[in-house]
């Protein structure tokens, strides 16, 4: 594995999931693998889980990690080629990334979608500028389009449950849109769709209000419906997430119906397990009674972020020396 950006960087998904579960059972088994290596974690946006789980994963591999809160602690970055830098931008991405990739053995980046410039967001411009100018492997900590460490943790979690409950059919996984008070990027929903589709071991259904269709590059052959109740029928896993309209990019499209997930709605499911990447807006996206129920997997997903990051960092170290 050179870089880690999407499912395309994974050679064998089931093996990667097994590796993560092996690390969960044996956290320090490779404690010397990353000895004398440094991981740089550059955040252009806030984070709790991604930041800390990546640092713990690095520590478990014997690797030092350095967090740079780019949006507040570093120089304002210029991304335009040939820019005349006589404004507020202080350092060009090619200089900053060149420097960081001489300091670090692996460089990781979080950068959210602007939700203003669809062409720029769709090309994952900022992430790819880092790839272009880095001399070292780049790991996505969530980009404009995808959140692969989260998706791997989600599939680790689903596999753990399936190893325990043994369904006699493929599980039905439902990704349901939920309300939010802000415009939210598509990365988690895109990425979850991409990884579940690639995994291929489920009946995958996506439900959302009209105008909230995701880019079909990620949804592919998933069944898509605007009828949430129909989608939830017989579901084994319900992944709850808000995303903004892709079709009407950057616009707030008001929704009249009630899309928040509550206990009443779950009655038609197959005693579904509930997933969310966190942070969650309680009683806006999901009711307290659901998120605090014994069927909620949200804490397990968050814990599995460590093993997801550890498996990926381990693969990169082994591939790149
Ligand atoms: N799920 C997730 O990525 O959480 P953070 O934004 O806190 O890192």
């Amino acid at each position: 594995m050179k870089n880690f950006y999407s499912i395309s960087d994974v050679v064998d998904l089931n093996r990667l999931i097994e590796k993560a579960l092996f690390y969960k059972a044996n956290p320090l088994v490779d404690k010397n693998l990353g000895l004398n290596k440094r991981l740089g974690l550059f955040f252009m946006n806030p984070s709790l889980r991604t930041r800390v789980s990546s640092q713990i994963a690095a520590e478990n591999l014997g690797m030092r990690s350095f967090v740079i809160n780019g949006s507040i602690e570093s120089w304002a970055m210029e991304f335009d080629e040939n820019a005349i830098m006589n404004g507020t931008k202080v350092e060009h991405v090619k200089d900053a990334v060149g420097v960081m990739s001489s300091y670090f053995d692996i460089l990781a980046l979080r950068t959210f979608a602007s939700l203003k410039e669809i062409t720029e967001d769709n090309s994952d411009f900022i992430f790819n500028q880092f790839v272009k100018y880095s001399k070292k492997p780049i790991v996505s900590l969530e980009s404009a389009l995808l959140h692969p460490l989260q998706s791997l943790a989600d599939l680790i979690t689903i596999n753990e449950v399936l190893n325990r409950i043994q369904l006699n059919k493929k599980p039905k996984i439902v990704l349901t849109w939920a309300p939010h008070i802000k415009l939210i990027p598509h990365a988690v929903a895109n990425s979850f769709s991409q990884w579940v589709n690639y995994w291929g071991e489920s009946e995958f259904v996506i439900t959302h209000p009209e105008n909230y269709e995701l880019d079909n590059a990620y949804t592919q052959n998933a069944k898509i419906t605007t009828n949430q109740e129909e989608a939830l029928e017989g579901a084994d896993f319900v992944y709850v997430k808000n995303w903004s309209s892709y079709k009407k990019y950057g616009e707030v499209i008001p929704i009249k119906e009630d899309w928040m997930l509550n206990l009443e709605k779950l009655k038609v499911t197959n005693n579904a397990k509930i997933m969310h990447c966190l942070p969650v807006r309680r009683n806006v996206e999901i009711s307290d009674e659901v998120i605090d129920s014994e069927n909620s997997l949200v804490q397990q997903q968050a814990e599995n972020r460590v093993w997801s990051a550890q498996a990926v960092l381990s693969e990169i170290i082994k591939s790149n020396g």
Side-chain angles (χ1 to χ4, degrees), residues 46-51 110 142 147 150 277-279 305:
S47 166
L48 190 159
R49 281 144 289 270
T50 307
R51 178 190 316 252
R110 165 164 284 197
E142 184 171 344
H147 194 356
Q150 180 66 54
C277 62
L278 303 182
R305 292 295 306 273

Side-chain angles (χ1 to χ4, degrees), residues 15 52 55 80 82 120 139 142 151 155 157 160 190 199 211 219-220 227 247 267 276 279 287 297 317:
R15 199 184 65 76
V52 182
Q55 288 189 280
D80 285 349
N82 306 123
E120 191 174 302
V139 171
E142 184 171 344
S151 305
L155 280 178
T157 309
E160 279 183 309
N190 282 346
W199 184 55
N211 290 314
T219 59
Q220 295 178 355
N227 185 332
K247 197 156 85 179
K267 283 184 179 159
H276 190 289
S287 68
L297 299 177
I317 294 168

Side-chain angles (χ1 to χ4, degrees), residues 104-115:
F104 302 123
D105 300 281
I106 301 174
L107 183 55
L109 170 68
R110 165 164 284 197
T111 175
F112 287 170
S114 68
L115 296 179

Side-chain angles (χ1 to χ4, degrees), residues 179-247:
H180 206 284
I181 61 157
K182 284 174 62 185
L183 278 179
I184 298 291
H186 309 91
V188 171
N190 282 346
S191 200
F192 185 71
S193 303
Q194 183 188 62
W195 283 63
V196 170
N197 275 324
Y198 182 89
W199 184 55
E201 295 185 26
S202 71
E203 177 195 350
F204 184 37
V205 179
I206 303 173
T207 184
H208 53 70
E210 272 177 38
N211 290 314
Y212 282 85
E213 294 78 11
L214 291 163
D215 184 344
N216 59 20
Y218 305 105
T219 59
Q220 295 178 355
N221 294 327
K223 183 179 172 200
I224 298 170
T225 171
T226 54
N227 185 332
Q228 191 188 36
E229 186 181 350
E230 178 192 290
L232 291 175
E233 220 169 285
D236 299 295
F237 295 88
V238 179
Y239 200 106
V240 187
K241 187 72 185 89
N242 172 267
W243 59 87
S244 55
S245 176
Y246 179 67
K247 197 156 85 179

